[in-house]
Amino acid sequence: MEKPAPLVWNDSLITGVPEIDEQHQILVHTLNEAGEKPSPGARPEDYEAITRGLLGYALYHFETEEALMQEYGYAQDESPDAHRHQAEHRGFTQQVIAVRENLEAGVLTPPEALLGFLNDWLMRHIMLTDKRLAAFILARRSRAPGAT
Ligand SMILES: [Fe+2]
């Protein structure tokens, strides 16, 4: 399997919520860095460190978004959008945890397959899911007193 092409940050990925966009750029950068490292012969300990760093930052980012959902009332009334959004976060987290558990058990997920999944997931999640949340937040912010 070939290595997936690096992700390219571009305006189509901008949600318009600065704190989300900043973290997305860091995630894209993190995935691209990871893509440079796991090559044939990559050591399991490198792989462990990469997935640990990625998981840590992804969890931090999901917390940021989910705190915004609470703050702006997106998560109220068991909104299906919020529910689906959080389920996507959980799904991503579980995939990365499963890769790490396999690694611990001595089974190395092919780095190209993992990176392909991560890249596709992030692009789709930003374009389809995070943008819906961002539109909601931006609408709320534009209504807030003193907002520009
Ligand atoms: Fe999200």
Side-chain angles (χ1 to χ4, degrees):
M1 187 184 276
E2 284 203 15
K3 244 185 207 187
L7 299 173
V8 179
W9 182 263
N10 64 70
D11 286 357
S12 76
L13 294 168
I14 291 174
T15 68
V17 176
E19 53 271 56
I20 292 179
D21 289 332
E22 266 171 41
Q23 294 184 2
H24 283 166
Q25 286 187 62
I26 293 171
L27 273 173
V28 164
H29 179 74
T30 305
L31 285 181
N32 285 339
E33 263 195 344
E36 286 166 13
K37 283 178 194 160
S39 53
R43 296 175 309 161
E45 50 267 46
D46 293 337
Y47 209 57
E48 198 281 328
I50 288 166
T51 54
R52 175 161 22 96
L54 174 67
L55 186 61
Y57 194 77
L59 286 172
Y60 164 71
H61 169 62
F62 296 159
E63 267 174 35
T64 301
E65 283 188 1
E66 291 176 26
L68 286 168
M69 289 181 202
Q70 293 292 337
E71 184 183 342
Y72 286 90
Y74 191 68
Q76 271 169 9
D77 306 325
E78 302 192 359
S79 138
D81 272 357
H83 193 263
R84 202 175 313 120
H85 195 146
Q86 292 180 31
E88 285 186 27
H89 289 172
R90 301 290 99 77
F92 178 95
T93 303
Q94 280 162 11
Q95 285 279 350
V96 180
I97 288 174
V99 165
R100 288 174 54 73
E101 284 175 351
N102 284 339
L103 188 64
E104 226 170 279
V107 181
L108 193 83
T109 305
E112 297 79 9
L114 175 62
L115 199 64
F117 162 78
L118 296 172
N119 286 358
D120 289 351
W121 186 92
L122 186 64
M123 291 298 106
R124 193 168 310 134
H125 184 79
I126 291 176
M127 296 300 282
L128 301 176
T129 305
D130 288 336
K131 282 193 175 183
R132 288 174 79 95
L133 168 63
F136 184 90
I137 292 170
L138 292 174
R140 287 291 159 105
R141 284 185 179 172
S142 70
R143 274 201 263 152
T148 49

